Amino acid sequence: MASSTSLGAAVIGQSGGPTAVINQSLVGVIKELRKTGHVDQVLGARHGVRGIINEDFISLNDASDELLERIANTPAAALRSTRDKPDQAYCEKIFRAFAKNNVRYFFYIGGNDSADTARIVSELAKAESYDLQVLHIPKTIDNDLRVHDHCPGYPSAARFVACAMIGDNFDNRSLMGVKIDILMGRHAGYLTAASALARQHPEDGPHLIYIPEQPVAIEQFLADVDAVYKKRGRCLIAASEGITSPDGRTWFEALAETHDRDAHGNLQLSGSGELGDHMAHLIEKNLTPIGGKKIRVRADTFGYIQRSFPGSVSEVDAREARMVGAHAARYSLEPGSEGSVAMRRVGPRSEYNIEYFLTPLETVARTAKEMDPSYYTGRNNITQAFLDYARPFVGPLPRTGSFDELNAIVPVSRAATAAM
Amino acid sequence: MASSTSLGAAVIGQSGGPTAVINQSLVGVIKELRKTGHVDQVLGARHGVRGIINEDFISLNDASDELLERIANTPAAALRSTRDKPDQAYCEKIFRAFAKNNVRYFFYIGGNDSADTARIVSELAKAESYDLQVLHIPKTIDNDLRVHDHCPGYPSAARFVACAMIGDNFDNRSLMGVKIDILMGRHAGYLTAASALARQHPEDGPHLIYIPEQPVAIEQFLADVDAVYKKRGRCLIAASEGITSPDGRTWFEALAETHDRDAHGNLQLSGSGELGDHMAHLIEKNLTPIGGKKIRVRADTFGYIQRSFPGSVSEVDAREARMVGAHAARYSLEPGSEGSVAMRRVGPRSEYNIEYFLTPLETVARTAKEMDPSYYTGRNNITQAFLDYARPFVGPLPRTGSFDELNAIVPVSRAATAAM
């Protein structure tokens, strides 16, 4: 049996959709393992579990600190990623590859599916009395892991969304009309909710925020947009790609059914502008323009930039992502220690203090969580409770200014008279 | 007649598509006018020329320095913008509004259409011997103004594109397949070309760059993608929204003709994902997958974020945008002084030194410029000459790291043997 003094190989893998800070966690593991010295060989599995069963590893022993620090600041999975979701048979192949290569530590950076893979592999090892410690390191821009206060990767994606929405608010204000922004998140509205962080002035958008947790019918959506547009001459909408109808189906599913597939091939939600374009067409067709002119309707789908943009990483997120990796390595020093490295808030509510702890894999695996109901309200809005929750880890946002603050709209006749 | 000591009102307006630094120019004018003191009333026209003919002005005299600095750092037009392109009759209305209100200085921040408006209004004033000085302040993310070395707004948009492409390169590398990014620029390829700044390693994308200046047929495009995909297992494409066929029509025009309009309403280029989705469908239909599996094809249209994202402003751009505004105010101190405030490079080639000068309005008005032919090559690539041109004003980009630098891909059998 391995103990804290026995040597063996460690395998690190990265899984699922990348984030801007997933390599911070990877580097956190590597650097901490170098400090503890209880592992003599650190292997990176290329493309996650697929790299394990194909024995496609790279040795990470020789990477210099300089290279590691550059990689830590590089978005997306440096070891490359996979969408494979292993079943029992797949997990047995993983375990066989570990046993064959004397792998005693498995660090898997991913979401709830990865936690489930970790759980199954751990059980297989136990069943054969093979000494293996499995540590799951959280990562998801969806922020939907149970137990975890929040998930590394989410704060930076949220920061990107908030910054983009600050810019788009003023862009929409410049040329007016209706603007729709489609944000990632098929089941959880966390990332779309982050758009509310952009508001700094009473007139600022997003004016309507649609998340999967608050279903909306097309007719109601159109009425919402009409009301804002009539009042302000413009309307900025943040909609989750998982926007849902009251019947439980997503808007995208409904769109796919009525869509002319012959002309366009298969519909696709991510990496496509179809949903946003559909919503723009709905508004163009159904809204009555002010003053008889055609309504200016535009849709942007923020797409993969949300998770991989290197220029708006949250400092708190980068630090925490590094820490969950380092903590995983430290936990592995203790024989038998296993689980998912989680964060919780401690101390007074007015301060932001994070404590790291290990939660059993099964408490995180498989089922994801939706947004806390205290975070949304009234069909299309986000609460102060959410803003208070998110602000500390999203970090300070660019402060904007508007001439509305002057409260000095002077008609030219008066203004010019005063000047002469 | 007004002289440099006579007082009169100044009107400032902003026009066309906003940028991330257009308010730097606005604040540059306002603050410099306060210093020179030759104008006693500074008016902001809301929504550009439309605000002038509607006499919809706000007094900018009372804005505090603190507010002005926040506005300078806020993206998009603080005075709001317009898409109106005035003809002779419209320009006469502008001139009448000026004469009625003793406006003696007109600062117009915009592109080549705005320069043309400025030119016509100036001629109308001269014809009536009305003392009016018209200063055009350049602004365009398209970077397509004649005479100007580059245009304020472009460096920040280019910086956004380069940063986004850095992230997307590693995202595409994580999960492989073909990724298409559609970038702004209907006629000039400058913004799309900026994607080439993202490359830091030999394997980095974008692997193919399509600009309007280098037409490509669909068959050739598909052959290009196939070759890269076969070689690398992935392909990252940067395509201008103005991607053009050898027959001179844009791909978007061709798409619009064959499109099922009944199902989707009118097609729209900006604020829509149609072109990217179309290109993705073409690739899905026509490319032979490696190993028989379906090719993963995704498309993102970067959209309005390119011009309004507050988190990746180029410092050089912010400074230069402020300076062209300040210079315009200073030029207006000299009676009869008119034109577009331009930049040119001076001094040794290895250094970046900018000199500001006034170029006649007609040298900038109307006709836009395409990219310099020395900046692109071989149907789908960008030259070192372009990178040398753009780097100084785009500024330093995030440095990335890749395990490819290790050159140490160790098969697990050897790696594990060495470890035991």
Side-chain angles (χ1 to χ4, degrees):
Chain A
M1 295 279 286
S3 74
S4 63
T5 55
S6 82
L7 298 177
V11 161
I12 312 176
Q14 295 174 306
S15 183
T19 79
V21 298
I22 185 172
N23 294 332
Q24 291 283 0
S25 298
L26 169 67
V27 170
V29 176
I30 298 170
K31 292 187 98 166
E32 194 64 24
L33 287 180
R34 286 181 183 180
K35 274 193 216 161
T36 59
H38 67 295
V39 171
D40 57 4
Q41 176 73 7
V42 183
L43 298 173
R46 280 159 47 99
H47 291 294
V49 286
R50 205 185 316 167
I52 298 172
I53 63 169
N54 293 336
E55 301 189 19
D56 180 10
F57 294 103
I58 49 174
S59 168
L60 302 176
N61 290 5
D62 301 329
S64 68
D65 275 8
E66 188 276 330
L67 174 60
L68 288 179
E69 288 304 327
R70 260 191 296 122
I71 285 175
N73 287 295
T74 299
L79 294 173
R80 304 180 182 226
S81 192
T82 178
R83 285 283 178 203
D84 285 2
K85 292 180 186 173
D87 55 12
Q88 191 75 21
Y90 197 121
C91 287
E92 275 167 30
K93 284 187 200 163
I94 295 172
F95 174 62
R96 290 291 145 225
F98 284 168
K100 179 178 166 195
N101 294 288
N102 194 32
V103 173
R104 300 295 176 170
Y105 307 92
F106 177 33
F107 299 92
Y108 206 29
I109 308 170
N112 53 320
D113 287 328
S114 306
D116 201 42
T117 300
R119 182 188 63 78
I120 300 172
V121 171
S122 166
E123 281 174 7
L124 289 168
K126 283 193 181 68
E128 302 213 6
S129 299
Y130 177 89
D131 231 353
L132 177 74
Q133 281 174 259
V134 180
L135 278 303
H136 172 259
I137 297 162
K139 170 269 354 164
T140 166
I141 63 160
D142 290 331
N143 202 36
D144 61 355
L145 295 185
R146 289 177 293 144
V147 184
H148 298 248
D149 176 79
H150 61 283
C151 306
Y154 171 67
S156 294
R159 190 177 165 73
F160 177 87
V161 165
C163 282
M165 201 59 68
I166 285 173
D168 210 33
N169 171 62
F170 285 95
D171 195 294
N172 175 245
R173 194 178 138 89
S174 295
L175 288 163
M176 308 298 277
V178 178
K179 177 72 194 296
I180 305 155
D181 289 323
I182 304 291
L183 306 175
M184 278 185 167
R186 290 178 189 209
H187 307 292
Y190 279 108
L191 196 51
T192 302
S195 65
L197 293 163
R199 297 173 184 152
Q200 295 180 20
H201 303 88
E203 203 265 344
D204 284 355
H207 307 107
L208 301 169
I209 301 175
Y210 296 102
I211 57 172
E213 290 86 346
Q214 294 201 101
V216 64
I218 287 179
E219 298 69 30
Q220 187 59 62
F221 164 80
L222 290 170
D224 290 351
V225 176
D226 189 59
V228 174
Y229 177 68
K230 289 277 190 302
K231 182 178 170 192
R232 303 184 186 276
R234 71 181 188 109
C235 181
L236 181 61
I237 304 159
S240 166
E241 62 186 3
I243 183 174
T244 298
S245 297
D247 67 6
R249 286 196 316 170
T250 64
W251 282 39
F252 190 75
E253 284 163 353
L255 172 64
E257 277 174 25
T258 60
H259 200 269
D260 174 5
R261 283 167 186 268
D262 290 338
H264 290 277
N266 290 318
L267 273 183
Q268 192 174 277
L269 183 49
S270 287
S272 142
E274 306 263 14
L275 177 62
D277 291 345
H278 170 63
M279 291 171 74
H281 293 311
L282 278 175
I283 292 170
E284 276 167 2
K285 267 188 199 168
N286 293 288
L287 241 64
T288 320
I290 301 171
K293 284 177 71 178
K294 192 166 172 280
I295 302 180
R296 180 177 178 267
V297 186
R298 300 286 186 270
D300 277 329
T301 302
F302 284 5
Y304 293 110
I305 323 178
Q306 289 166 90
R307 68 188 191 193
S308 64
F309 193 77
S312 69
V313 169
S314 146
E315 284 178 30
V316 172
D317 192 23
R319 194 168 59 239
E320 291 176 345
R322 179 75 70 110
M323 287 299 281
V324 291
H327 276 288
R330 248 172 271 164
Y331 285 126
S332 77
L333 198 51
E334 207 178 306
S337 179
E338 279 200 335
S340 177
V341 182
M343 295 186 276
R344 65 181 155 223
R345 298 186 199 211
V346 290
R349 273 201 151 210
S350 56
E351 289 172 26
Y352 179 71
N353 292 304
I354 287 296
E355 185 178 81
Y356 299 85
F357 67 105
L358 213 47
T359 183
L361 292 168
E362 60 270 22
T363 64
V364 173
R366 299 172 81 164
T367 326
K369 73 173 179 195
E370 292 187 346
M371 270 185 91
D372 188 307
S374 71
Y375 291 163
Y376 50 86
T377 183
R379 191 174 63 243
N380 54 37
N381 212 348
I382 296 303
T383 63
Q384 186 62 40
F386 171 80
L387 301 176
D388 293 342
Y389 160 76
R391 278 220 171 89
F393 56 66
V394 168
L397 295 167
R399 278 200 70 211
T400 59
S402 159
F403 286 122
D404 288 358
E405 297 175 50
L406 271 182
N407 247 341
I409 300 189
V410 185
V412 69
S413 45
R414 279 205 293 126
T417 309
M420 285 191 296
Chain B
M1 295 280 287
S3 76
S4 64
T5 53
S6 81
L7 297 178
V11 161
I12 314 175
Q14 295 174 306
S15 182
T19 79
V21 298
I22 185 172
N23 293 333
Q24 290 283 1
S25 298
L26 170 66
V27 170
V29 176
I30 298 171
K31 291 187 98 167
E32 194 64 24
L33 286 180
R34 287 182 182 181
K35 273 192 217 162
T36 59
H38 67 296
V39 171
D40 57 3
Q41 176 74 6
V42 183
L43 299 172
R46 281 157 47 97
H47 292 293
V49 285
R50 206 185 315 166
I52 299 172
I53 62 169
N54 293 335
E55 302 189 17
D56 180 10
F57 295 102
I58 48 174
S59 168
L60 303 175
N61 290 4
D62 301 329
S64 69
D65 276 7
E66 189 276 329
L67 175 59
L68 288 179
E69 288 304 327
R70 261 192 294 122
I71 286 175
N73 288 294
T74 299
L79 293 173
R80 306 181 181 225
S81 192
T82 179
R83 286 283 177 203
D84 285 3
K85 292 179 185 174
D87 55 12
Q88 190 76 19
Y90 197 122
C91 287
E92 275 168 29
K93 284 188 200 163
I94 294 173
F95 174 62
R96 289 292 146 223
F98 285 168
K100 178 178 165 194
N101 294 288
N102 194 33
V103 173
R104 298 295 176 171
Y105 306 92
F106 177 32
F107 299 93
Y108 206 28
I109 309 171
N112 53 319
D113 287 327
S114 307
D116 201 42
T117 301
R119 182 187 63 78
I120 300 173
V121 172
S122 165
E123 282 174 6
L124 290 168
K126 283 191 182 69
E128 302 213 6
S129 298
Y130 178 88
D131 230 353
L132 177 75
Q133 281 175 260
V134 180
L135 277 304
H136 172 260
I137 298 162
K139 169 273 350 166
T140 166
I141 63 160
D142 290 331
N143 201 36
D144 60 355
L145 294 186
R146 289 176 294 144
V147 184
H148 298 248
D149 176 78
H150 61 283
C151 306
Y154 171 66
S156 295
R159 190 177 165 73
F160 178 86
V161 165
C163 282
M165 202 59 69
I166 286 173
D168 210 32
N169 171 62
F170 285 96
D171 195 293
N172 175 243
R173 195 178 136 90
S174 296
L175 288 164
M176 309 297 278
V178 178
K179 177 73 195 296
I180 304 155
D181 289 324
I182 305 292
L183 306 175
M184 278 184 166
R186 290 176 190 212
H187 306 292
Y190 279 107
L191 196 51
T192 302
S195 65
L197 293 163
R199 297 173 184 152
Q200 296 180 21
H201 302 88
E203 203 264 344
D204 283 355
H207 307 108
L208 301 169
I209 301 175
Y210 296 102
I211 57 173
E213 290 87 344
Q214 295 201 100
V216 63
I218 287 179
E219 299 69 30
Q220 188 59 62
F221 165 79
L222 289 170
D224 290 351
V225 177
D226 189 59
V228 174
Y229 177 69
K230 289 277 191 303
K231 182 178 171 191
R232 303 184 186 276
R234 72 182 187 106
C235 181
L236 182 61
I237 303 159
S240 167
E241 61 186 4
I243 183 174
T244 299
S245 297
D247 66 6
R249 286 195 316 169
T250 64
W251 282 39
F252 189 76
E253 284 164 352
L255 171 65
E257 279 176 23
T258 59
H259 200 269
D260 175 6
R261 283 166 187 268
D262 290 339
H264 290 276
N266 289 318
L267 274 183
Q268 191 174 277
L269 183 49
S270 287
S272 141
E274 306 264 14
L275 178 62
D277 291 346
H278 169 63
M279 291 171 75
H281 293 311
L282 278 175
I283 293 171
E284 276 166 2
K285 267 190 198 166
N286 292 287
L287 242 65
T288 319
I290 300 171
K293 284 177 70 178
K294 192 167 173 279
I295 303 180
R296 180 176 179 269
V297 187
R298 300 287 186 270
D300 277 329
T301 303
F302 284 5
Y304 293 109
I305 323 178
Q306 290 166 88
R307 67 188 192 194
S308 64
F309 193 78
S312 68
V313 168
S314 146
E315 284 177 29
V316 172
D317 193 23
R319 194 168 59 239
E320 290 175 346
R322 178 75 70 111
M323 287 298 283
V324 291
H327 275 288
R330 247 172 272 163
Y331 285 126
S332 76
L333 198 51
E334 206 179 305
S337 179
E338 279 200 334
S340 177
V341 182
M343 295 186 275
R344 65 181 155 221
R345 298 186 199 210
V346 292
R349 274 201 150 210
S350 55
E351 288 171 27
Y352 179 73
N353 291 305
I354 288 295
E355 185 178 82
Y356 299 85
F357 67 104
L358 212 47
T359 183
L361 291 168
E362 60 270 23
T363 64
V364 173
R366 301 173 80 162
T367 326
K369 73 172 178 196
E370 292 186 347
M371 268 185 93
D372 188 308
S374 71
Y375 291 163
Y376 51 86
T377 184
R379 192 175 62 244
N380 53 39
N381 213 348
I382 295 304
T383 63
Q384 186 62 41
F386 172 79
L387 300 176
D388 294 342
Y389 160 76
R391 278 219 172 90
F393 56 66
V394 168
L397 295 168
R399 278 200 69 212
T400 59
S402 160
F403 285 123
D404 289 358
E405 297 176 50
L406 270 182
N407 247 340
I409 299 189
V410 185
V412 70
S413 46
R414 280 204 291 125
T417 308
M420 284 191 297

